[in-house]
Amino acid sequence: MELFRKEDKMSSLIGANYNLLPVINRFGIRLGFKEKSIDEVCTENKIHTDFFLAIVNTYTDEGYFPEAELLSFSPLLIIEYLKNTHRYYIEYVLPKIERLLNKVIESCTEDCSSLKMINSFYQKYKAELLIHLNLEDEKVFPYIINLYKEKTLNSDGSSIEVLENEHTNVEVKLSDLKNLIIRHLSPNYEDNTMNEFLTALFQFENDLNDHARIEDHILIVQVMEFEKELGK
Amino acid sequence: MKENVFIIHRSEIIRKGLSLILQDYFKMEITQLNSTKDLNSFTGITNSSIILILEAQTEVNSKAVDLLKKNNDVYLVGFYNDDQVLEQNDSVDYQLNQFSSSMQIQKLIQIIRQAGAKKKNGNSDNGELTVREKEVIRLIAVGLANKEIAEKLFISIHTVISHRKNITEKLGIKSISGLTVYAIMNNLLDIQDINPEELI
């Protein structure tokens, strides 16, 4: 996989990785690029090109970690982007996954108690995920916004490290959910329906991993640097 | 261990061609970079075996390579444009040139893989849970902590932890509520034994 550069065509970006479709939407970019380059489309949409590239490259290559000089954009831009992502999860992805799961359950004709357990497990997972997203929306992001506005450290000693607890718990549950279905559930359901549900889970897992990388590799790094400067 | 393969070369023809060939062998995406400078953006990788195929006689970017070496096994492969340069070269671990035959390429990959495999030791059981492990799952599911499980089964906490590790490896399930669902699905436990509100 090559890193995307600003002179590449916007259309080639989607050709190389269609998982970026919802990502560009979150920037407010819509299809129909003609022959325009990434830079041209970003400029038209008033998007910081370096920021856009940092995000799409982080999405495309797991090992990618933008260098300090590429992180010249404001963390407020990232927060705006992350909030959009949260909205996309809550308003679109989770309801879709739930709809598909309900279809799977409806397709079960006998001995459906195990599937019901899977459903309760999913509900538990969803509840935890929502708590996590909420915490970021209501505590972590406002903390950062305030930090950059006031340019002073909180007197109570709170810092980004303390606030941003790890994503691992929710990640573990999603992986457990997949393994329970793939390895341990007896197949009392309609196959195509289940495949659709699982595909949606895999996609969501990918998206969440990339999302977490953007938080950990870009946002948190920037904020920690800034806190260090303020502490001097 | 995860594998990351990089091809760093100024020539797009070589980058694309080489990664097309190597993709067959590695069965994975290969990251293509134009210059060793871009490697700075990948120094966050950890716990991987990293194979760097570099255009020979260019700057290696030792800063990034050293950072990568801290948390990974790194193998440097020099890529040569012709076959006359085969004098001892200390800056790379292996050599490859543009006239290498497919046998030579395959051999090189094997050597790199074997070097990486030495550190692993395979877990060779059939994935079936033992009676003891099933007991441990049952106790986890009813909500006992490691210490309580140890007391109940007359084993050390250390043994409980090692059972849990094996269970997770065999089943692919790590969370307590996931294990509870597994226990109920496999009749290790009756749904009446737990408080569904709390554990599920």
Side-chain angles (χ1 to χ4, degrees), chain A residues 1-3 5 61-67 69-70 113-115 117-118 120-121 124 128 169 172-173 175-176 179-180 183-186 217, chain B residues 2 12 15-16 29-34 37-38 40-42 44-45 169-175 177-178 181-182 184-185 191 198-200:
Chain A
M1 203 104 48
E2 299 238 16
L3 290 180
R5 293 170 199 284
D61 202 310
E62 264 185 51
Y64 181 77
F65 197 136
E67 290 173 70
E69 58 256 47
L70 291 179
S113 59
S114 292
L115 256 183
M117 292 295 296
I118 296 281
S120 333
F121 185 66
K124 171 115 180 162
E128 267 178 40
N169 261 337
V172 164
K173 283 225 169 60
S175 145
D176 284 359
N179 277 329
L180 278 168
R183 293 163 70 164
H184 307 295
L185 180 68
S186 17
H217 288 187
Chain B
K2 274 196 63 178
E12 186 176 7
R15 276 196 318 264
K16 288 228 160 105
E29 273 300 335
I30 293 172
T31 306
Q32 303 164 37
L33 303 176
N34 184 17
K37 253 181 62 202
D38 291 340
N40 292 341
S41 297
F42 291 87
I45 299 177
E169 259 167 38
K170 286 180 184 176
L171 301 180
I173 304 173
K174 206 170 173 186
S175 66
S177 40
V181 172
Y182 174 87
I184 296 170
M185 277 172 28
I191 196 154
E198 239 173 63
L199 278 165
I200 305 288

Side-chain angles (χ1 to χ4, degrees), chain B residues 21-28 102-103 105-106 109 113:
Chain B
I21 294 169
L22 291 179
Q23 247 159 35
D24 275 352
Y25 297 115
F26 283 106
K27 305 270 178 255
M28 62 177 291
S102 105
M103 276 298 284
I105 298 174
Q106 230 163 344
I109 291 165
R113 285 243 164 101

Side-chain angles (χ1 to χ4, degrees), chain A residues 16-50:
Chain A
N17 181 3
Y18 66 82
N19 289 320
L20 289 173
L21 281 168
V23 177
I24 65 163
N25 289 156
R26 277 171 225 155
F27 279 94
I29 298 175
R30 305 186 65 197
L31 301 183
F33 317 119
K34 306 211 167 63
E35 299 306 310
K36 286 176 203 151
S37 70
I38 291 179
D39 199 25
E40 284 168 316
V41 176
C42 284
T43 314
E44 263 175 33
N45 286 277
K46 300 195 174 54
I47 297 159
H48 195 301
T49 309
D50 283 344

Side-chain angles (χ1 to χ4, degrees), chain A residues 176-192:
Chain A
D176 284 359
L177 177 61
K178 280 168 35 201
N179 277 329
L180 278 168
I181 296 170
I182 296 169
R183 293 163 70 164
H184 307 295
L185 180 68
S186 17
N188 297 329
Y189 45 74
E190 204 275 311
D191 291 339
N192 291 323

Side-chain angles (χ1 to χ4, degrees), chain B residues 50-86:
Chain B
I50 296 179
I51 296 161
L52 297 175
I53 302 171
L54 303 152
E55 181 177 357
Q57 277 118 16
T58 52
E59 187 99 29
V60 177
N61 187 355
S62 38
K63 202 179 127 223
V65 173
D66 286 346
L67 279 173
L68 282 172
K69 278 184 176 164
K70 268 190 208 157
N71 300 313
N72 305 282
D73 295 333
V74 179
Y75 304 96
L76 291 178
V77 181
F79 183 85
Y80 295 85
N81 289 334
D82 44 46
D83 46 8
Q84 92 252 351
V85 239
L86 277 170

Side-chain angles (χ1 to χ4, degrees), chain A residues 118-135:
Chain A
I118 296 281
N119 187 33
S120 333
F121 185 66
Y122 170 76
Q123 295 301 336
K124 171 115 180 162
Y125 163 72
K126 188 179 99 175
E128 267 178 40
L129 179 67
L130 289 177
I131 290 174
H132 175 78
L133 297 180
N134 246 320
L135 178 86

